[in-house]
Amino acid sequence: MERISWIEFREWVPAKIQTVLLPLGTLEPHGVAPNGTDILAPVAMAREIAPRVNAMIAPAVPYGFTGILDAYPGSFTVPEEAFRNYVCAVLTGLAKNKFKNIILLNGHGGGQTAILSALVQEIGRETGTRLLVVNWWSYCSDVTQEVFGQDGGHGAENESAYVMAIDPDLVHKQDFRKEMATALPPPNTWSAYPFPSTIMLYKEGQGYPTFDAAKAKEYFTKVNDKLARLIQKTVDKWEMAGV
């Protein structure tokens, strides 16, 4: 979107393009992957998916509602109210610019997912726009199982592999040690701030990064394929329902 003029925009939206992809992330540690993993992943997804679903790509929202890892070097967190109001303004602006479908490609979990889920309902009702928010790592957990044969985690096998497929030089496997990972606790058992590890495993003993370049490429492709199918099917069903 930032690379075209207002004249081009007026010509393309909504006559030729009715869907926009909005990547959102944050800056926080991801083991030996970049602090910007939550930004890099959804931006790469948007670039791969946009041609398949006839969508424009909006500039990413890079600063997010980080949470339990914001004490680590290079991390940022935006207060919940400020983040919510800012994203609300962005979504309202996209609707004002006549996009019919707004797809939020979210790269960061925690409290950010709850904020976005609430916002899409609010903005959808107020603007008459159709919105979909996708938390890719969760939606594609079956792809993680298929490719790696186990669950992943934050900064774990799945996220590290996806970034490796974007640029292998961004993942510093020489710095990895298994002791860097901790399994996420069951709900209501224990919590800590800051969290004691920058790699969080969804299941004990599963999800350690293996830095397999071939599997990373396979994972990248299958994740993008699944997300593209979801977006296209959702838009098709909106159209079929006439909403």
Side-chain angles (χ1 to χ4, degrees):
M1 187 186 298
E2 68 272 25
R3 293 174 178 267
I4 63 174
S5 72
W6 68 273
I7 299 169
E8 293 170 303
F9 194 102
R10 181 179 61 184
E11 176 186 350
W12 294 342
V13 181
K16 298 177 183 178
I17 299 176
Q18 298 185 342
T19 301
V20 62
L21 307 178
L22 174 63
L24 303 101
T26 198
L27 284 161
E28 66 178 4
H30 283 77
V32 297
N35 278 13
T37 290
D38 290 349
I39 305 166
L40 294 168
V43 167
M45 290 165 192
R47 290 173 178 163
E48 291 290 323
I49 292 167
R52 309 187 204 182
V53 298
N54 189 35
M56 193 175 287
I57 303 172
V61 177
Y63 296 101
F65 186 56
T66 298
I68 60 174
L69 292 173
D70 64 4
Y72 285 88
S75 297
F76 290 80
T77 191
V78 175
E80 180 174 355
E81 183 178 1
F83 177 77
R84 189 184 193 283
N85 289 340
Y86 183 78
V87 176
C88 180
V90 172
L91 296 176
T92 301
L94 292 172
K96 176 179 174 288
N97 276 284
K98 302 181 181 179
F99 285 109
K100 193 174 183 180
N101 311 305
I102 303 174
I103 312 299
L104 290 76
L105 296 175
N106 182 36
H108 176 59
Q112 184 159 308
T113 60
I115 295 170
L116 297 179
S117 295
L119 273 177
V120 295
Q121 295 184 50
E122 177 183 320
I123 300 301
R125 292 189 184 100
E126 290 180 356
T127 65
T129 309
R130 307 181 304 200
L131 297 98
L132 170 69
V133 57
V134 186
N135 302 312
W136 76 268
W137 67 96
S138 180
Y139 182 69
C140 295
S141 59
D142 60 330
V143 180
T144 303
Q145 287 281 356
E146 178 186 350
V147 175
F148 303 110
Q150 57 183 345
D151 273 332
H154 171 90
E157 178 80 285
N158 49 337
E159 285 193 298
S160 296
Y162 196 93
V163 174
M164 275 189 67
I166 298 171
D167 183 352
D169 290 337
L170 294 176
V171 179
H172 303 288
K173 61 181 180 181
Q174 72 277 4
D175 295 329
F176 173 72
R177 304 186 311 278
K178 275 196 169 184
E179 293 76 16
M180 297 173 68
T182 298
L184 286 171
N188 304 316
T189 55
W190 63 270
S191 61
Y193 177 86
F195 197 78
S197 297
T198 61
I199 299 175
M200 305 178 190
L201 308 177
Y202 295 149
K203 289 186 179 179
E204 185 77 48
Q206 296 188 22
Y208 295 105
T210 59
F211 311 105
D212 186 317
K215 286 189 176 182
K217 290 180 180 179
E218 179 187 0
Y219 186 67
F220 181 85
T221 298
K222 289 185 174 180
V223 165
N224 297 333
D225 287 348
K226 185 174 185 185
L227 292 172
R229 288 194 301 269
L230 170 66
I231 293 166
Q232 191 59 62
K233 286 180 180 179
T234 302
V235 171
D236 288 346
K237 289 181 179 181
W238 279 331
E239 289 292 322
M240 182 177 63
V243 296

